[in-house]
Amino acid sequence: MNSTSRLRRGREDSGSGEKEAAGQVGAFLMARFAIRRDALVDGIKPTDRISYDGAHWNIKEMKQLRDNTRFLEITAVKDLG
């Protein structure tokens, strides 16, 4: 999904870290995206990915913003290698 046209305030970084998988250590960046809801956005599943600013982000959590039901907040991670 290319979400750039639906973003409310762009990407907000929320953390970073390292992970170990198959004996290799890699870094990741976590961010939150606030996206205006519509039929396409309402069809997003946790198995989908976000394409933003030339990178692919894996969705970890989706929730409705408390202050505004027109937006969905998506927490996603990007591998840094």
Side-chain angles (χ1 to χ4, degrees):
M1 175 185 135
N2 188 331
S3 59
T4 304
S5 62
R6 293 180 177 81
L7 290 180
R8 176 183 183 190
R9 59 180 181 255
R11 184 188 90 209
E12 180 181 309
D13 293 340
S14 61
S16 61
E18 293 182 346
K19 65 179 180 177
E20 185 175 341
Q24 297 180 348
V25 176
F28 68 91
L29 178 64
M30 184 176 294
R32 289 189 299 266
F33 298 85
I35 300 175
R36 183 180 300 274
R37 295 181 76 172
D38 63 14
L40 178 63
V41 171
D42 285 341
I44 294 174
K45 301 177 292 284
T47 55
D48 292 331
R49 297 182 348 167
I50 295 174
S51 177
Y52 178 80
D53 205 19
H56 296 289
W57 296 76
N58 295 314
I59 296 172
K60 295 298 180 188
E61 179 182 36
M62 301 182 310
K63 64 183 177 183
Q64 181 176 305
L65 290 178
R66 285 176 282 170
D67 61 336
N68 193 331
T69 59
R70 294 181 303 157
F71 291 90
L72 181 68
E73 182 179 86
I74 299 175
T75 302
V77 295
K78 172 178 79 166
D79 286 333
L80 299 176

